[in-house]
């Protein structure tokens, strides 16, 4: 009986190591997402412990300042008065989106810009999930306005990272259109 040894070629070795390389490459993006979560949570701890609810302190009078507000809903207080079920809905949605984005990174399906965007979105989404689970609402503290005539809804660093991540995804989709 003749034993046949499998022949190893560079192409076969590259294919075998591709998943390990994608996993290793995605690790830096998960570390970035974790760093975003830490920065977000530290900022929320600061404002939640040094401001009274509703307090406003001007940084650029008439335009920008810090406040402390609680948002039981999503962006722009969407579903804030829904009775409590929205906390679970937005938590599940954040986990689902973060899981899908993370899986795409692990599989190596994203460009560098898309991976950066995914890290921003994962970090921001999970930062807000932590608030919902710990406090039952999201802590917002950044206030942009024009004197007393116009106010943009208060937001936080997690929201900012989510928005920047979404913009980066749109930009990358124009740079790398899918067939």
């Amino acid at each position: 009986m003749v034993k046949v040894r499998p022949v190893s070629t560079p192409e076969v070795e590259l294919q075998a190591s591709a998943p390990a390389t994608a996993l290793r490459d995605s690790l830096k993006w998960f570390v970035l997402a974790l760093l975003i979560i830490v920065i977000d949570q530290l900022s929320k701890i600061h404002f939640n412990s040094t401001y009274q609810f509703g307090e406003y302190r001007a940084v650029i009078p008439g335009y920008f300042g810090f406040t402390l507000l609680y948002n039981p809903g999503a962006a722009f207080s969407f579903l804030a008065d829904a009775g409590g079920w929205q906390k679970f809905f937005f938590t599940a949605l954040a986990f689902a989106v973060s899981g899908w984005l993370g899986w795409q990174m692990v599989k190596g399906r994203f460009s560098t810009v898309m991976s950066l965007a995914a890290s921003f979105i994962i970090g921001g989404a999970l930062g807000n999930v932590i608030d919902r689970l710990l406090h039952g609402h999201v802590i917002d503290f950044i206030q942009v306005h024009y004197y007393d005539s116009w106010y943009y809804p208060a937001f936080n660093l997690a929201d900012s990272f989510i928005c920047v991540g979404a913009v980066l995804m749109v930009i990358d989709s124009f740079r790398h259109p899918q067939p």
Side-chain angles (χ1 to χ4, degrees):
M1 194 180 254
V2 176
K3 289 189 178 182
V4 178
R5 288 187 359 213
V7 177
S8 178
T9 65
E11 184 178 303
V12 171
E13 289 175 13
L14 278 176
Q15 288 174 351
S17 67
T21 302
L23 181 61
R24 192 173 345 102
D25 290 346
S26 65
L27 184 61
K28 66 184 171 194
W29 301 115
F30 289 116
V31 169
L32 176 59
L34 181 62
L35 181 62
I36 289 167
I37 293 168
V38 169
I39 291 168
D40 174 64
Q41 287 299 302
L42 289 175
S43 68
K44 291 171 179 174
I45 289 167
H46 169 75
F47 284 97
N48 205 31
S49 63
T50 59
Y51 281 61
Q52 295 295 316
F53 179 79
E55 178 183 356
Y56 174 81
R57 297 181 195 171
V59 175
I60 303 172
Y63 300 100
F64 173 76
F66 293 118
T67 188
L68 178 63
L69 297 174
Y70 302 140
N71 181 359
F76 310 111
S77 295
F78 178 64
L79 295 177
D81 297 326
W85 63 267
Q86 73 277 20
K87 169 184 158 183
F88 303 104
F89 173 74
F90 292 127
T91 298
L93 183 62
F95 280 129
V97 169
S98 297
W100 183 82
L101 291 171
W103 181 247
Q104 297 305 309
M105 286 193 302
V106 167
K107 298 296 273 178
R109 295 187 177 144
F110 283 164
S111 68
T112 300
V113 172
M114 193 65 87
S115 293
L116 177 65
S119 296
F120 281 13
I121 292 170
I122 291 169
L126 296 182
N128 282 341
V129 161
I130 291 169
D131 285 8
R132 285 190 182 93
L133 295 176
L134 290 179
H135 309 292
H137 55 258
V138 174
I139 298 169
D140 290 329
F141 55 86
I142 301 169
Q143 184 70 69
V144 177
H145 61 96
Y146 182 74
Y147 293 94
D148 287 332
S149 62
W150 176 82
Y151 281 83
Y152 190 79
F155 58 98
N156 58 46
L157 293 179
D159 299 335
S160 300
F161 278 107
I162 292 168
C163 289
V164 170
V167 168
L168 288 172
M169 282 189 164
V170 169
I171 290 169
D172 192 65
S173 70
F174 285 120
R175 291 178 48 198
H176 302 101
Q178 298 294 320

